[in-house]
Amino acid sequence: MAKTSTKYVCQSCGYEAVKWHGRCPGCGEWNTMEETLVEAPRGRGHLRDLVPGAPESRAQRMSQIPPASEQRFSTGMSECDRVLGGGVVAGSLVLIGGDPGIGKSTLLLQIAHHLAVAGRRVLYVSGEESAGQLRLRAERLETMHENVYVLAETDLEAALRAADELRPDLLIVDSIQTVYRPGMTSAPGSVSQVKECTGLLLRVAKSFNLATFIVGHVTKEGNLAGPRMLEHMVDAVLYFEGERHHAYRVLRAVKNRFGSTNELAIFEMRQEGLREVTNPSEMFLSERSERTPGSAVVAALEGSRPLLLEVQALVTPSSFAAPRRMATGADPNRTHLIIAVLEKRLGIRLQTSDAYVNLAGGVRVDEPAIDLGVAMALVSSSKDVPLPSGDVFVGEVGLTGEVRSVTRLEQRVREADKLGFSRCIVPAHSLRGWRQKGNIQVVGVHTLWDAMHLALQG
């Protein structure tokens, strides 16, 4: 009988200790150390012992490695391909996280259906739902296909043996917190099980050149459950975001070894499943109220995609000694900086007023190119004067009140022209060598004062 002992493992970062700590020495979190039963190592053997078809690894000279082109295949959803960097890379391990009920399983089931229609074989390993439940979901989403195989199993080694027999093009594990390795005494979902199962899936993906998607739960803070090193083990980490009670969902890459991490995909949740939103700017501006003080349109850039978003600001007298400052969707620190610049450079008194800033639609943008729009929305709300409904604002605001240049201005202006806006107020330094295109008027400004005078001159 194997000898067993106990140790304490942090459920946040995976730090191990022989005694309990109230505060984890590794990550500093409180009350995350849990007692875990440890079995003496018995040697889990080579991958070929678990999966007989696994190729044998041998060291070779780097110069003797044959050059291999990146093998990608489409998911059948252009928005998802954009986030992945052009499609799924064979042999990659992708982690998808999100809140419960946000639509992770729905997204993966639709991807499996598109691949099956294209003639590829998919194995869906479900540890949370039975095979009958998955069939009911597939019938509702109209994603039934003969090339999609379902295995309701939590034993990861049994699932990999089934994958070795089937040899699919895509393996989906839903979710990593429910599967386990029988040789370990810890419970499914524990730090050691999650690390071990992810490591095994990584070895299988690289050995068989098998594209693998795994679903991860998130904590109440919004981070992926399990050790932080889980994100370092996989090739790509995608977050599926959005409010459960709203129709729109955002798929965002926070790590991607095969593409950019600045891309995002937008979907609309319907009864028949997720529908791609091909024109998100029009969607974000569809409910905008014209001639309303505190509303401005900005041209942001997410990866290679320009987005027109509505910035809403509300400035109201405060009844407290310390006024409130709140920003939703925008960077709160940059919002505080803009408020300070408006007070110092434009003489707008905001120290006795509450200031709220919101990006409509639930999207989150961190780039400084929306600073000018945020500033103009705050000025408009403070003076209770609406901005012209045909104006779009682009520019970064400096501490001296100057409007600084931004990148890829032509794409932003083209998007505003496409949606029918009449004027775009941009940094003057970005107009060097500018050639007028389209029907939109492009006006350059040097300072916040110039922008305010131009926007409120009517």
Side-chain angles (χ1 to χ4, degrees):
M1 185 124 181
K3 295 182 178 180
T4 59
S5 59
T6 59
K7 64 179 179 181
Y8 294 89
V9 181
C10 175
Q11 301 302 303
S12 178
C13 68
Y15 182 87
E16 299 179 359
V18 296
K19 64 178 182 179
W20 183 82
H21 295 271
R23 185 179 185 182
C24 173
C27 62
E29 295 290 333
W30 289 92
N31 299 323
T32 57
M33 304 292 289
E34 292 188 6
E35 186 177 9
T36 304
L37 186 65
V38 182
E39 187 175 350
R42 297 179 296 182
R44 297 191 180 97
H46 195 271
L47 181 62
R48 299 185 67 185
D49 298 331
L50 174 62
V51 185
E56 185 175 355
S57 300
R58 291 183 179 180
Q60 53 184 326
R61 297 179 187 271
M62 184 177 291
S63 58
Q64 296 177 347
I65 300 175
S69 60
E70 197 174 64
Q71 301 178 12
R72 290 182 183 267
F73 54 88
S74 174
T75 61
M77 307 176 76
S78 59
E79 293 293 302
C80 193
D81 289 342
R82 177 198 295 269
V83 176
L84 289 170
V88 182
V89 177
S92 62
L93 183 62
V94 180
L95 174 62
I96 299 181
D99 294 329
I102 203 68
K104 302 184 297 295
S105 300
T106 299
L107 175 65
L108 290 175
L109 200 56
Q110 290 186 233
I111 291 176
H113 174 71
H114 288 305
L115 292 178
V117 171
R120 299 185 181 273
R121 189 175 295 179
V122 180
L123 175 59
Y124 195 115
V125 179
S126 175
E128 299 183 348
E129 295 179 282
S130 65
Q133 290 173 326
L134 270 177
R135 178 186 173 90
L136 289 175
R137 183 197 296 261
E139 290 176 346
R140 177 174 60 85
L141 301 176
E142 298 182 356
T143 55
M144 298 283 293
H145 200 278
E146 296 297 324
N147 285 340
V148 178
Y149 295 79
V150 176
L151 177 63
E153 180 61 73
T154 56
D155 186 342
L156 183 60
E157 296 181 3
L160 292 180
R161 285 192 290 269
D164 181 49
E165 297 176 1
L166 188 62
R167 293 301 174 96
D169 297 291
L170 177 66
L171 173 64
I172 299 174
V173 179
D174 186 7
S175 66
I176 192 63
Q177 277 82 13
T178 58
V179 297
Y180 69 97
R181 293 199 65 180
M184 302 182 62
T185 56
S186 53
S190 61
V191 170
S192 55
Q193 280 283 8
V194 170
K195 286 168 53 179
E196 188 70 22
C197 292
T198 305
L200 179 57
L201 285 170
L202 179 64
R203 292 160 58 195
V204 170
K206 303 304 179 185
S207 300
F208 290 93
N209 206 29
L210 172 62
T212 305
F213 281 11
I214 58 177
V215 176
H217 296 164
V218 296
T219 62
K220 60 182 179 181
E221 291 83 13
N223 301 319
L224 284 166
R228 197 66 181 179
M229 68 179 64
L230 181 64
E231 299 185 23
H232 298 285
M233 297 172 67
V234 300
D235 295 312
V237 180
L238 309 181
Y239 275 93
F240 207 40
E241 305 170 349
E243 295 291 337
R244 291 182 58 188
H245 305 293
H246 289 77
Y248 296 106
R249 305 286 189 268
V250 176
L251 183 66
R252 187 190 304 270
V254 297
K255 174 189 176 180
N256 192 354
R257 289 174 179 163
F258 309 109
S260 172
T261 57
N262 296 321
E263 301 287 356
L264 59 82
I266 300 175
F267 301 91
E268 181 182 5
M269 178 64 78
R270 294 187 172 185
Q271 180 66 27
E272 61 272 14
L274 293 166
R275 185 184 68 87
E276 298 176 86
V277 178
T278 56
N279 192 348
S281 297
E282 186 176 2
M283 179 267 292
F284 285 128
L285 298 178
S286 60
E287 300 180 20
R288 178 184 175 224
S289 300
E290 297 185 0
R291 308 300 299 173
T292 302
S295 174
V297 177
V298 297
L301 202 66
E302 286 290 337
S304 60
R305 163 180 285 174
L307 291 177
L308 294 189
L309 306 169
E310 181 188 5
V311 176
Q312 297 176 338
L314 178 62
V315 178
T316 179
S318 176
S319 57
F320 301 96
R324 295 196 64 184
R325 304 283 189 258
M326 184 179 297
T328 303
D331 186 359
N333 294 326
R334 293 202 65 85
T335 303
H336 296 162
L337 179 149
I338 293 170
I339 292 174
V341 173
L342 290 176
E343 291 182 344
K344 181 69 175 179
R345 304 302 175 189
L346 299 187
I348 298 177
R349 298 178 60 84
L350 298 175
Q351 63 267 30
T352 58
S353 300
D354 295 334
Y356 305 92
V357 174
N358 174 52
L359 283 181
V363 71
R364 191 175 69 250
V365 177
D366 295 326
E367 74 159 341
I370 68 171
D371 289 355
L372 184 58
V374 173
M376 290 300 100
L378 288 167
V379 171
S380 172
S381 179
S382 175
K383 294 181 175 294
D384 201 26
V385 177
L387 298 170
S389 58
D391 282 0
V392 176
F393 299 91
V394 182
E396 178 185 353
V397 174
L399 290 178
T400 60
E402 81 277 14
V403 180
R404 307 178 68 90
S405 59
V406 298
T407 60
R408 301 165 76 172
L409 179 63
E410 186 176 350
Q411 284 185 268
R412 305 173 195 261
V413 174
R414 191 186 306 120
E415 182 74 8
D417 186 25
K418 186 174 66 175
L419 291 184
F421 285 87
S422 58
R423 187 172 63 171
C424 190
I425 300 177
V426 303
H429 295 287
S430 297
L431 295 181
R432 295 173 182 172
W434 177 266
R435 293 183 179 180
Q436 185 68 34
K437 298 179 181 179
N439 299 320
I440 190 170
Q441 179 188 8
V442 181
V443 183
V445 294
H446 291 276
T447 64
L448 271 178
W449 179 267
D450 298 337
M452 182 182 70
H453 176 72
L454 189 65
L456 301 181
Q457 63 183 356

